[in-house]
Amino acid sequence: MANSLIIKTLNSIKRNPKFLTTFSSQSQIHTRLFTSIASAQEPQSEDPSSSTFTFSSDGKTQKNDNNSSIYVKAPSSNSQTTSSSSSVTMPMSFMTGSIVGKRFYKEVKVRESEDGVGWSVMLDYRTLKTPSKRPLKLPTLPLAKAVAAEWEYQETDGIRPFSMPLMKLACTALERVPLTRPKVIEHLMKKFNQDLVFCRAPEDNILTRGVHERQVEKIDPLLDWVESEFGFKPVVYSSFYGGKQEDGLIKAIENLLKKTDDCELAAIDAMASAAHSLIIAIGICRGKLQIEDAIELIRLEEDLQVDKWGLVEGGHDLDIADLKVQISSAAVFLGLSRRI
């Protein structure tokens, strides 16, 4: 399901190659990507005892510690809230990929948040919340429609978080990044000197000469872009332990990360983790690399090995599919989260 959703979105992006370029998105692009319902009215429930359905991991009505359980929590008799404030809270297991329960809703809609800041996803008349029970307020309507589409595609026998990459990224951007921003940046910069694009296969070895030539052909243009963009020429090396980049380049990259918003940093972190390259992630963010180009660079050496020795079914093919989902979903999330 995640693959089909990503493929549909990528087809729209291909028709608009500048979609991911900073501040170059157009509203017409956004409105063509998803056509989910953009507003919803909350019906009033006549039975207050059934007004709140909650996914949670801390409910007192649970008989075990399985945080994937679903239970119905009736509002307190002392509560001043009405049935219109009902909501759906996702459990923490949603972030880890476990199946969290059967589909309990019939209709998925999108509406503007009650405070007018952001957009909410509605499962029937229930407002979707994050695992820590905060309102899932998405910054743009296109992103809210995309997340709603992921919920709409869920089967009746179970809700599968691994088929909802945009929802996972949204929870990361809204919950984890604001609380751990310095640590996220520190983690990215800690691995910067070992970036994939800085590692060069030895030229004087017959076994790696082909890889070296392909790296020069495909990666050097990206390194030239880094030099023109940040004013410092990257250093390439042939050691597994990495090399030391110029302090000026390190500082420039760190400053760029500090200026990102939460959605941008979440997307960059996800792409850098999948690509083993912060430079490739920034290249996608800045519009230098298209998704297909980025995947080609990430898999450059492995694809050469596959061409030489053959593809292992159930291994290489699954790795390729997983990489495409991770990079594509983060790139799509990045593009849809940008306000016009």
Side-chain angles (χ1 to χ4, degrees), residues 136-167:
L136 185 72
K137 294 197 297 185
L138 300 161
T140 66
L141 176 59
L143 180 57
K145 288 182 178 181
V147 171
E150 289 184 332
W151 283 93
E152 182 62 39
Y153 279 118
Q154 296 303 301
E155 302 292 339
T156 57
D157 63 337
I159 296 174
R160 294 167 171 80
F162 52 82
S163 66
M164 307 170 72
L166 298 180
M167 175 66 184

Side-chain angles (χ1 to χ4, degrees), residues 22 76 83 138 146 160 167 189 258 273-274 282 291 302:
T22 307
S76 171
S83 61
L138 300 161
R160 294 167 171 80
M167 175 66 184
M189 296 308 303
K258 289 179 178 179
S273 177
I282 292 175
I291 295 171
E302 189 168 355

Side-chain angles (χ1 to χ4, degrees), residues 223-325:
L223 298 181
D224 292 339
W225 172 80
V226 171
E227 182 180 7
S228 64
E229 191 80 0
F230 300 102
F232 298 92
K233 184 176 179 62
V235 178
V236 297
Y237 51 85
S238 298
S239 169
F240 288 113
Y241 300 101
K244 184 70 170 68
Q245 298 298 322
E246 290 190 47
D247 292 338
L249 179 59
I250 295 175
K251 190 66 176 178
I253 296 296
E254 186 175 5
N255 288 337
L256 182 148
L257 295 177
K258 289 179 178 179
K259 293 178 181 178
T260 58
D261 60 34
D262 292 340
C263 289
E264 288 174 336
L265 187 56
I268 289 174
D269 183 47
M271 289 187 287
S273 177
H276 304 289
S277 172
L278 179 56
I279 292 297
I280 289 178
I282 292 175
I284 296 175
C285 181
R286 289 292 189 95
K288 169 61 179 177
L289 292 175
Q290 298 299 312
I291 295 171
E292 294 84 354
D293 299 331
I295 292 173
E296 181 183 7
L297 294 182
I298 297 166
R299 290 192 49 81
L300 187 148
E301 183 174 356
E302 189 168 355
D303 284 342
L304 286 174
Q305 296 296 332
V306 169
D307 292 341
K308 183 175 183 179
W309 304 106
L311 182 142
V312 177
E313 293 185 2
H316 292 131
D317 50 351
L318 295 182
D319 290 342
I320 294 171
D322 180 64
L323 178 64
K324 288 181 177 179
V325 169

